[in-house]
PDB file of all heavy atoms in Angstrom:
ATOM      1  N   PRO I 253      -8.566 -86.385 222.682  1.00 89.00           N
ATOM      2  CA  PRO I 253      -9.327 -85.899 223.851  1.00 89.00           C
ATOM      3  C   PRO I 253     -10.287 -84.751 223.534  1.00 89.00           C
ATOM      4  O   PRO I 253     -11.277 -84.571 224.232  1.00 89.00           O
ATOM      5  CB  PRO I 253      -8.231 -85.442 224.815  1.00 89.00           C
ATOM      6  CG  PRO I 253      -7.011 -86.167 224.379  1.00 89.00           C
ATOM      7  CD  PRO I 253      -7.123 -86.321 222.900  1.00 89.00           C
ATOM      8  N   ARG I 254     -10.022 -83.988 222.480  1.00 90.00           N
ATOM      9  CA  ARG I 254     -10.871 -82.826 222.162  1.00 90.00           C
ATOM     10  C   ARG I 254     -11.734 -83.082 220.931  1.00 90.00           C
ATOM     11  O   ARG I 254     -12.166 -82.131 220.261  1.00 90.00           O
ATOM     12  CB  ARG I 254     -10.003 -81.584 221.949  1.00 90.00           C
ATOM     13  CG  ARG I 254      -9.183 -81.217 223.184  1.00 90.00           C
ATOM     14  CD  ARG I 254      -8.442 -79.895 222.972  1.00 90.00           C
ATOM     15  NE  ARG I 254      -9.358 -78.782 222.839  1.00 90.00           N
ATOM     16  CZ  ARG I 254      -9.902 -78.116 223.856  1.00 90.00           C
ATOM     17  NH1 ARG I 254      -9.622 -78.489 225.112  1.00 90.00           N
ATOM     18  NH2 ARG I 254     -10.723 -77.111 223.658  1.00 90.00           N
ATOM     19  N   MET I 255     -12.018 -84.315 220.680  1.00 90.00           N
ATOM     20  CA  MET I 255     -12.783 -84.661 219.494  1.00 90.00           C
ATOM     21  C   MET I 255     -14.191 -84.071 219.522  1.00 90.00           C
ATOM     22  O   MET I 255     -14.748 -83.688 218.495  1.00 90.00           O
ATOM     23  CB  MET I 255     -12.859 -86.185 219.362  1.00 90.00           C
ATOM     24  CG  MET I 255     -13.663 -86.659 218.151  1.00 90.00           C
ATOM     25  SD  MET I 255     -13.700 -88.446 218.031  1.00 90.00           S
ATOM     26  CE  MET I 255     -14.553 -88.841 219.549  1.00 90.00           C
ATOM     27  N   LEU I 256     -14.805 -83.961 220.722  1.00 91.00           N
ATOM     28  CA  LEU I 256     -16.189 -83.493 220.852  1.00 91.00           C
ATOM     29  C   LEU I 256     -16.285 -82.046 221.319  1.00 91.00           C
ATOM     30  O   LEU I 256     -17.360 -81.589 221.697  1.00 91.00           O
ATOM     31  CB  LEU I 256     -16.950 -84.395 221.831  1.00 91.00           C
ATOM     32  CG  LEU I 256     -17.143 -85.838 221.380  1.00 91.00           C
ATOM     33  CD1 LEU I 256     -17.764 -86.666 222.494  1.00 91.00           C
ATOM     34  CD2 LEU I 256     -18.008 -85.910 220.127  1.00 91.00           C
ATOM     35  N   PHE I 257     -15.199 -81.303 221.273  1.00 91.00           N
ATOM     36  CA  PHE I 257     -15.194 -79.909 221.716  1.00 91.00           C
ATOM     37  C   PHE I 257     -15.565 -78.986 220.556  1.00 91.00           C
ATOM     38  O   PHE I 257     -14.916 -79.005 219.496  1.00 91.00           O
ATOM     39  CB  PHE I 257     -13.818 -79.519 222.264  1.00 91.00           C
ATOM     40  CG  PHE I 257     -13.580 -79.980 223.669  1.00 91.00           C
ATOM     41  CD1 PHE I 257     -13.433 -81.333 223.962  1.00 91.00           C
ATOM     42  CD2 PHE I 257     -13.518 -79.076 224.712  1.00 91.00           C
ATOM     43  CE1 PHE I 257     -13.219 -81.767 225.254  1.00 91.00           C
ATOM     44  CE2 PHE I 257     -13.306 -79.505 226.015  1.00 91.00           C
ATOM     45  CZ  PHE I 257     -13.155 -80.847 226.291  1.00 91.00           C
ATOM     46  N   LEU I 258     -16.619 -78.161 220.773  1.00 89.00           N
ATOM     47  CA  LEU I 258     -16.993 -77.135 219.797  1.00 89.00           C
ATOM     48  C   LEU I 258     -16.055 -75.943 219.910  1.00 89.00           C
ATOM     49  O   LEU I 258     -15.407 -75.735 220.939  1.00 89.00           O
ATOM     50  CB  LEU I 258     -18.435 -76.667 220.029  1.00 89.00           C
ATOM     51  CG  LEU I 258     -19.550 -77.643 219.655  1.00 89.00           C
ATOM     52  CD1 LEU I 258     -20.857 -77.216 220.308  1.00 89.00           C
ATOM     53  CD2 LEU I 258     -19.722 -77.709 218.143  1.00 89.00           C
ATOM     54  N   THR I 259     -16.007 -75.125 218.882  1.00 86.00           N
ATOM     55  CA  THR I 259     -15.212 -73.889 218.895  1.00 86.00           C
ATOM     56  C   THR I 259     -16.130 -72.691 218.724  1.00 86.00           C
ATOM     57  O   THR I 259     -17.234 -72.810 218.174  1.00 86.00           O
ATOM     58  CB  THR I 259     -14.168 -73.896 217.774  1.00 86.00           C
ATOM     59  OG1 THR I 259     -14.842 -73.928 216.508  1.00 86.00           O
ATOM     60  CG2 THR I 259     -13.242 -75.099 217.899  1.00 86.00           C
ATOM     61  N   ARG I 260     -15.666 -71.542 219.199  1.00 80.00           N
ATOM     62  CA  ARG I 260     -16.461 -70.316 219.064  1.00 80.00           C
ATOM     63  C   ARG I 260     -16.710 -69.989 217.596  1.00 80.00           C
ATOM     64  O   ARG I 260     -17.807 -69.540 217.224  1.00 80.00           O
ATOM     65  CB  ARG I 260     -15.732 -69.156 219.757  1.00 80.00           C
ATOM     66  CG  ARG I 260     -16.472 -67.831 219.692  1.00 80.00           C
ATOM     67  CD  ARG I 260     -15.694 -66.743 220.406  1.00 80.00           C
ATOM     68  NE  ARG I 260     -15.711 -66.950 221.839  1.00 80.00           N
ATOM     69  CZ  ARG I 260     -16.612 -66.404 222.658  1.00 80.00           C
ATOM     70  NH1 ARG I 260     -17.566 -65.637 222.182  1.00 80.00           N
ATOM     71  NH2 ARG I 260     -16.561 -66.636 223.953  1.00 80.00           N
ATOM     72  N   GLU I 261     -15.709 -70.203 216.759  1.00 81.00           N
ATOM     73  CA  GLU I 261     -15.859 -69.890 215.336  1.00 81.00           C
ATOM     74  C   GLU I 261     -16.934 -70.751 214.695  1.00 81.00           C
ATOM     75  O   GLU I 261     -17.688 -70.296 213.826  1.00 81.00           O
ATOM     76  CB  GLU I 261     -14.525 -70.081 214.602  1.00 81.00           C
ATOM     77  CG  GLU I 261     -13.443 -69.092 214.987  1.00 81.00           C
ATOM     78  CD  GLU I 261     -12.864 -69.367 216.361  1.00 81.00           C
ATOM     79  OE1 GLU I 261     -13.044 -70.512 216.868  1.00 81.00           O
ATOM     80  OE2 GLU I 261     -12.256 -68.448 216.953  1.00 81.00           O
ATOM     81  N   TYR I 262     -17.027 -72.037 215.122  1.00 81.00           N
ATOM     82  CA  TYR I 262     -18.039 -72.924 214.559  1.00 81.00           C
ATOM     83  C   TYR I 262     -19.446 -72.488 214.964  1.00 81.00           C
ATOM     84  O   TYR I 262     -20.402 -72.621 214.184  1.00 81.00           O
ATOM     85  CB  TYR I 262     -17.782 -74.360 215.024  1.00 81.00           C
ATOM     86  CG  TYR I 262     -18.676 -75.390 214.366  1.00 81.00           C
ATOM     87  CD1 TYR I 262     -18.308 -76.005 213.190  1.00 81.00           C
ATOM     88  CD2 TYR I 262     -19.901 -75.736 214.940  1.00 81.00           C
ATOM     89  CE1 TYR I 262     -19.135 -76.955 212.581  1.00 81.00           C
ATOM     90  CE2 TYR I 262     -20.729 -76.673 214.345  1.00 81.00           C
ATOM     91  CZ  TYR I 262     -20.335 -77.278 213.162  1.00 81.00           C
ATOM     92  OH  TYR I 262     -21.166 -78.200 212.565  1.00 81.00           O
ATOM     93  N   LEU I 263     -19.594 -71.957 216.194  1.00 82.00           N
ATOM     94  CA  LEU I 263     -20.914 -71.587 216.711  1.00 82.00           C
ATOM     95  C   LEU I 263     -21.410 -70.238 216.207  1.00 82.00           C
ATOM     96  O   LEU I 263     -22.599 -69.954 216.307  1.00 82.00           O
ATOM     97  CB  LEU I 263     -20.881 -71.563 218.243  1.00 82.00           C
ATOM     98  CG  LEU I 263     -20.798 -72.921 218.945  1.00 82.00           C
ATOM     99  CD1 LEU I 263     -20.662 -72.725 220.445  1.00 82.00           C
ATOM    100  CD2 LEU I 263     -22.016 -73.776 218.637  1.00 82.00           C
ATOM    101  N   MET I 264     -20.532 -69.392 215.689  1.00 79.00           N
ATOM    102  CA  MET I 264     -20.927 -68.037 215.294  1.00 79.00           C
ATOM    103  C   MET I 264     -21.019 -67.925 213.779  1.00 79.00           C
ATOM    104  O   MET I 264     -20.107 -68.333 213.054  1.00 79.00           O
ATOM    105  CB  MET I 264     -19.928 -67.013 215.844  1.00 79.00           C
ATOM    106  CG  MET I 264     -19.902 -66.954 217.366  1.00 79.00           C
ATOM    107  SD  MET I 264     -18.675 -65.797 218.026  1.00 79.00           S
ATOM    108  CE  MET I 264     -19.315 -64.254 217.407  1.00 79.00           C
ATOM    109  N   ARG I 265     -22.131 -67.361 213.329  1.00 74.00           N
ATOM    110  CA  ARG I 265     -22.296 -67.152 211.897  1.00 74.00           C
ATOM    111  C   ARG I 265     -21.374 -66.063 211.381  1.00 74.00           C
ATOM    112  O   ARG I 265     -20.932 -66.089 210.251  1.00 74.00           O
ATOM    113  CB  ARG I 265     -23.750 -66.767 211.593  1.00 74.00           C
ATOM    114  CG  ARG I 265     -24.737 -67.882 211.836  1.00 74.00           C
ATOM    115  CD  ARG I 265     -26.149 -67.397 211.584  1.00 74.00           C
ATOM    116  NE  ARG I 265     -27.121 -68.468 211.759  1.00 74.00           N
ATOM    117  CZ  ARG I 265     -28.442 -68.284 211.747  1.00 74.00           C
ATOM    118  NH1 ARG I 265     -28.939 -67.078 211.581  1.00 74.00           N
ATOM    119  NH2 ARG I 265     -29.269 -69.303 211.909  1.00 74.00           N
ATOM    120  N   HIS I 266     -21.173 -65.040 212.234  1.00 65.00           N
ATOM    121  CA  HIS I 266     -20.273 -63.948 211.852  1.00 65.00           C
ATOM    122  C   HIS I 266     -19.643 -63.409 213.111  1.00 65.00           C
ATOM    123  O   HIS I 266     -20.108 -63.647 214.231  1.00 65.00           O
ATOM    124  CB  HIS I 266     -21.025 -62.847 211.107  1.00 65.00           C
ATOM    125  CG  HIS I 266     -22.171 -62.265 211.884  1.00 65.00           C
ATOM    126  ND1 HIS I 266     -22.008 -61.354 212.902  1.00 65.00           N
ATOM    127  CD2 HIS I 266     -23.512 -62.486 211.797  1.00 65.00           C
ATOM    128  CE1 HIS I 266     -23.179 -61.037 213.410  1.00 65.00           C
ATOM    129  NE2 HIS I 266     -24.115 -61.712 212.757  1.00 65.00           N
ATOM    130  N   ALA I 267     -18.600 -62.664 212.958  1.00 63.00           N
ATOM    131  CA  ALA I 267     -17.915 -62.082 214.107  1.00 63.00           C
ATOM    132  C   ALA I 267     -18.779 -61.008 214.742  1.00 63.00           C
ATOM    133  O   ALA I 267     -19.675 -60.445 214.113  1.00 63.00           O
ATOM    134  CB  ALA I 267     -16.567 -61.498 213.675  1.00 63.00           C
ATOM    135  N   ALA I 268     -18.536 -60.725 216.028  1.00 63.00           N
ATOM    136  CA  ALA I 268     -19.307 -59.713 216.767  1.00 63.00           C
ATOM    137  C   ALA I 268     -18.336 -58.760 217.452  1.00 63.00           C
ATOM    138  O   ALA I 268     -18.326 -58.618 218.668  1.00 63.00           O
ATOM    139  CB  ALA I 268     -20.229 -60.388 217.767  1.00 63.00           C
TER     140      ALA I 268
END
Side-chain angles (χ1 to χ4, degrees):
R254 300 186 65 84
M255 179 179 63
L256 295 174
F257 280 69
L258 288 163
T259 63
R260 181 180 289 267
E261 293 73 18
Y262 187 90
L263 288 176
M264 296 178 64
R265 292 177 178 172
H266 57 78

